[in-house]
Amino acid sequence: MTDLHEALRDDVRMLGASLGDTIKAHLGDELFEKIETVRQLAKAGRNTAEPEHEKLLHALKGLSEDDVLPLSRAFTQFLNLANIAEEHHRVRRHLEETDVCTPDSLCTLFAQLRQKGFSPQNITDAFSKMQIDLVLTAHPTEVNRRTLIQKYDDITECLRRLDRGDEGAQHRLDELIRQIWHTDEIRKQRPTPVDEAKWGFAVIENSLWTAVPKFLRRLDSQLNETLGENLPLDCSPIRFASWMGGDRDGNPNVTAKVTEEVLLLSRWMAADLYLNDIDMLRAELSMYQANKELRNRVGDCAEPYRKLLGDVREKLSATKNWVARQLNGNREEACDIFVREEELLEPLMLCYRSLQECGMGVIAESALEDIIRRIACFGLTLVKLDIRQSSDRHAQVFEELSQFYGLGSYNGWSEEGRQNFLLKELQSRRPLFPKDWAPSAEVQEVIDTCQVVAQAEPNALGSYVISMASTPSDVLAVILLLREMGIGHNMRVVPLFETLDDLESARDCIDALLKVDWYKAYTEGHQEVMIGYSDSSKDAGQLAAAWGQFQAQEALTQLCKDHGVHLTLFHGRGGTVGRGGGPSHTAILAQPPGSVDHSLRLTEQGEMIRFKYGMPDLAVRNLELCTGAVLEATLDPAPGPEESWRVQMESMAKKGLTDYRAIVREDPSFVPYFRAATPEQELAKLPLGSRPAKRRQDGGVESLRAIPWIFAWTQIRLMLPAWLGSDTALAEALNDGSSGSLVKQMYQQWPFFRSTIDMLEMVLAKSDTNITAYYDKRLVSQELCTLGSSLRSRLLNIVALINTIKEQDSLLQGNPVIRQSIDVRNPYIDPLHFLQAELLNRDRNQPDQRLEQALMVTMAGISAGMRNTG
């Protein structure tokens, strides 16, 4: 392990030296020396017991306006390179363990389950029933441009080659670093929703297309070696869905036309990838021996496999060309193309059986098996597209319609009245929409979207998610609109419970729905519910939200069991703790017992997609961890909390909620302080994603999306959304003797509470009150500084509380790898923080385009250094 850590340090030094040579060659010795002086001072300042930044600040104040941008770029790019080295090191470390059953590997879990009485058949059957959807979303936390991401991937490949002793890779690596230096970090324009979808497809093409069959092959191998069982070829416990091009909640740029285009692009990309696979497979399968079944299909030819695969290739090519014509506006009928995945799978399985029967099993179990396993995961559409829209947009359709028919105001009706109307229309044979009706543009867009969804192939669609859902009519309204547009299958319509009030009423809403006989029949025995983490945390504070989410899941699990309906929970987690983030496998194991029953949906958001799935070997590792956690949570879940823990948690959640809202909602100085101390207003200038930063442009903090809300606090290292309210709640509990010992017991024995505290610890380790104080000093008025000082004091208090609960002297004492990662980055992030505070001050007083560019680079750099930013 020591040698491996030394390898990481060597990589970081090498990449830093190459960047230094690039900067010196481009900017000259004088500016390079200034940058190097800042680096050395930042490092020296962090080496003292209390960070001392006076010399660093003095050096930064001596920079001219022309020096600020290149210095910001230098530190930003170093942090990006350090991230690449660290990700490569994670793969390197994992590869060292490939043939060993590590504590968190699947083979170890299989052995543990066997010891607990689960048979090999129990475990294999669990995989056959397992349905995990990883839902890729385009939330605006990925600050890096796609063109730079590609270069970063190429640097990773160079590091791999250097590990293998390929000295020629050094020249290519130096060349790539020069390319990166001479490329703008910041986009000039926001990406469109279609751009975001293409970025998601690129992650699949460049990494997951390779990773998935490798993951399934490893799963099959470990099942066989440990249990003597095999994973069926048509079984993929994990599949992928996407919100890119389907999530229109508060994003006016996602239109019906965009959704239609993304659905087609997804099919085109899948056909293209399969075409490449089939071409390579045809080159491999030159054998002449074949079984009778294959001979009967292709006749007496010399190369029967190539003949059959030639037919497959022709049909794939026709599929790809048909989709291309659709994208170009040619709406011709489909003819002789692949529509269902079974059509593509059938000839490949025929080849597989023939090879096996003719004694060529080793050949069958190579490239051919990989393609078959890809079909099991990706189907013909690569991902299943989810649709998301706010409940009020659907209600608006029926409001205009009821007014047109002279029925009064739909929104003014009681919930019972709305349900009766919707159920009557669902069972009516006449059209709902009159021919002479002219709806508003907003309503027409909702109708157009439902028409696109209704006309799409069922295998291209995931769920229709309704945000801000709170009543059964919210769900019935969507089903009626889809039915009216002619949908031919029962699409999953999924209420999303986001705020604390919504979470508390989730059980009653689903109960009311399942008591409607028509609706229960529609579900076909499967109810999906989405739990929102981002907005509930922003609404109630992290502690109260986490407890509200846990209780909602418990209640829904029991309710669906009582109704005889299988429940799938869809977890809308983000990359940060303030949005339900953290290691997925830890979070899955912390769910209420019974809530993970073979099925789970989970959002993978923003930059976390690249961090977890951007490299094939890392993707394999994360897919294994997720699958293992779902298997364990399904077969052997941790017991539920003891009653005393519930009482204590309820008490802490109430205290946390009250104290969080006392600051965020009730303190009149809070919003002015937030806007003064953080770059919240300036973040809108950073062209991160296709979605506006606010749901309403005239709103306050309540209208701000959860992502920029957290992004802003992360930029100044206060990390407020992750801990505010938890500090006073934990303090009150720990100061009470009996409660204090109970809280420690909860941490030791309750996975939910342990996960909550561990995630909080990780975020607190990235906080820095000295940095936050400097932002206050440069940007905040004297009267608002009182609040800032109070918040920093509270932050220090909760650090001490976490150490008390974990019985340690300092944060991350038990996780030296993350501790070292943060410590290594700090000296490179510090100059960016001080520059950002200065640039914010200048930009607010005398705006200057040169300084604005530098300001955006500091945001990108701090984001790179902090990793999970939003």
Side-chain angles (χ1 to χ4, degrees), residues 640-658:
E642 294 182 8
E643 189 56 36
S644 60
W645 301 351
R646 287 182 182 280
V647 172
Q648 183 62 52
M649 195 65 212
E650 186 68 31
S651 171
M652 291 191 297
K654 283 181 179 174
K655 174 69 174 170
L657 173 66
T658 301

Side-chain angles (χ1 to χ4, degrees), residues 593-751:
S595 65
V596 182
D597 181 9
H598 296 91
S599 63
L600 181 82
R601 302 191 92 218
L602 186 69
T603 50
E604 295 288 8
Q605 300 189 339
E607 84 277 25
M608 300 312 294
I609 295 172
R610 188 163 57 87
F611 290 157
K612 292 170 72 172
Y613 306 108
M615 293 164 56
D617 289 320
L618 272 183
V620 169
R621 177 67 172 151
N622 281 297
L623 294 173
E624 285 182 343
L625 288 169
C626 182
T627 306
V630 171
L631 177 68
E632 185 175 353
T634 295
L635 295 181
D636 188 33
E642 294 182 8
E643 189 56 36
S644 60
W645 301 351
R646 287 182 182 280
V647 172
Q648 183 62 52
M649 195 65 212
E650 186 68 31
S651 171
M652 291 191 297
K654 283 181 179 174
K655 174 69 174 170
L657 173 66
T658 301
D659 289 6
Y660 174 86
R661 287 182 173 171
I663 294 291
V664 174
R665 292 190 179 184
E666 296 163 23
D667 188 329
S669 62
F670 178 75
V671 171
Y673 174 75
F674 170 57
R675 298 226 156 109
T678 76
E680 180 259 326
Q681 303 278 33
E682 290 77 9
L683 275 172
K685 299 175 184 176
L686 197 59
L688 291 174
S690 67
R691 210 156 118 179
K694 290 184 177 180
R695 287 189 168 91
R696 299 194 315 277
Q697 294 308 308
D698 60 342
V701 170
E702 77 289 343
S703 71
L704 192 70
R705 294 191 181 281
I707 295 164
W709 160 250
I710 291 171
F711 200 119
W713 290 113
T714 303
Q715 290 279 306
I716 71 166
R717 302 289 282 275
L718 190 60
M719 317 304 241
L720 177 138
W723 60 264
L724 185 64
S726 302
D727 59 322
T728 50
L730 291 172
E732 185 176 82
L734 289 171
N735 289 334
D736 180 319
S738 58
S739 294
S741 59
L742 187 62
V743 168
K744 291 181 181 179
Q745 182 192 60
M746 289 161 63
Y747 177 77
Q748 294 295 331
Q749 299 179 23
W750 187 14

Side-chain angles (χ1 to χ4, degrees), residues 132-139 141 199 239-244 247 384 386-388 463 465 494 496 498 528-535 568-576 579-585 587-588 600-610 612-613 626 691 707 870:
I132 305 169
D133 277 2
L134 298 179
V135 186
L136 309 179
T137 71
H139 285 258
T141 52
W199 178 83
R239 293 180 175 85
F240 294 91
S242 176
W243 277 15
M244 303 181 206
D247 179 12
K384 292 181 181 293
D386 278 9
I387 307 297
R388 182 168 76 137
S463 302
V465 179
V494 180
L496 163 55
E498 298 177 85
E528 184 177 317
V529 176
M530 185 168 183
I531 302 293
Y533 287 74
S534 307
D535 284 299
T568 293
L569 286 166
F570 183 0
H571 299 268
R573 294 178 175 275
T576 59
R579 300 183 57 236
S584 296
H585 67 285
I588 292 166
L600 181 82
R601 302 191 92 218
L602 186 69
T603 50
E604 295 288 8
Q605 300 189 339
E607 84 277 25
M608 300 312 294
I609 295 172
R610 188 163 57 87
K612 292 170 72 172
Y613 306 108
C626 182
R691 210 156 118 179
I707 295 164

Side-chain angles (χ1 to χ4, degrees), residues 815-828:
N815 200 330
V817 174
I818 295 181
R819 178 75 269 171
Q820 183 193 33
S821 174
I822 294 170
D823 291 344
V824 165
R825 281 174 169 74
N826 275 334
Y828 296 90

Side-chain angles (χ1 to χ4, degrees), residues 6 63 270 394 430 717 836:
E6 189 58 45
L63 295 173
H394 307 125
R430 63 164 175 75
R717 302 289 282 275
Q836 185 181 88

